[in-house]
Amino acid sequence: MEFNVDAYSGNSVVTTTLVEGAVEFFFTDKYNREQVVFMQPNQQVIYEKEAGNARHTTTYVPKDIAWKNGQIILKETPLTEVLWILSKRFNVEFAVKNPAFYNYSFTGIFTNQQIERVLEHFKRSSYIKYKNGSPVG
């Protein structure tokens, strides 16, 4: 069995991705009842703590476990998710000044690159400008 869990204390969701084997994902719903989702490989459960609900989807596993190899893999990844990945990887925070950028998504692979290099790729591909490591409008 191989799986990945993203459960940062400051995050409102817990995300579990199953690589191989089988997993039962238990959670408490909004009525305080225990629920279970049976997972198979290439599936992901996103549990929203406050709402008490879980979404069960198919996922692109290499993207979810890329951190193990020092990679960031994006596959039509929305900007909000990109910023979350970069925040975790580089221990930084972002402020987006132009909400139109939230309509952007990105595809690419970054291996062992510094944040400045990653942000430079976003700048070239989408005209996003950044200052002090944070995108600005």
Side-chain angles (χ1 to χ4, degrees):
M1 173 178 21
E2 182 180 354
F3 61 94
N4 185 65
V5 177
D6 183 340
Y8 288 80
S9 62
N11 199 356
S12 63
V13 298
V14 173
T15 304
T16 302
T17 302
L18 184 58
V19 179
E20 64 182 44
V23 167
E24 294 178 353
F25 183 93
F26 289 88
F27 67 97
T28 304
D29 69 14
K30 64 182 178 181
Y31 303 107
N32 208 28
R33 295 180 301 203
E34 190 173 270
Q35 302 289 329
V36 64
V37 174
F38 298 97
M39 297 177 66
Q40 296 181 4
N42 301 316
Q43 292 183 334
Q44 182 176 75
V45 171
I46 301 169
Y47 172 62
E48 298 174 13
K49 297 179 205 177
E50 291 182 22
N53 61 33
R55 290 179 283 139
H56 187 222
T57 63
T58 301
T59 190
Y60 181 62
V61 170
K63 179 181 76 133
D64 299 326
I65 62 170
W67 63 271
K68 294 184 345 179
N69 300 320
Q71 293 183 310
I72 297 172
I73 298 178
L74 308 174
K75 185 177 179 186
E76 299 178 21
T77 307
L79 180 63
T80 53
E81 188 176 339
V82 170
L83 297 180
W84 170 244
I85 292 167
L86 296 177
S87 294
K88 291 187 303 184
R89 172 68 58 91
F90 297 107
N91 195 27
V92 296
E93 293 183 21
F94 294 92
V96 176
K97 295 194 176 188
N98 183 346
F101 289 134
Y102 287 118
N103 296 321
Y104 288 27
S105 62
F106 298 91
T107 298
I109 299 174
F110 302 96
T111 303
N112 297 320
Q113 292 186 356
Q114 299 296 320
I115 190 168
E116 293 81 10
R117 179 96 172 168
V118 175
L119 292 175
E120 190 62 30
H121 284 284
F122 293 137
K123 179 180 176 183
R124 289 182 184 174
S125 67
S126 64
Y127 305 107
I128 290 177
K129 299 176 187 173
Y130 63 92
K131 179 179 175 184
N132 298 328
S134 298
V136 296

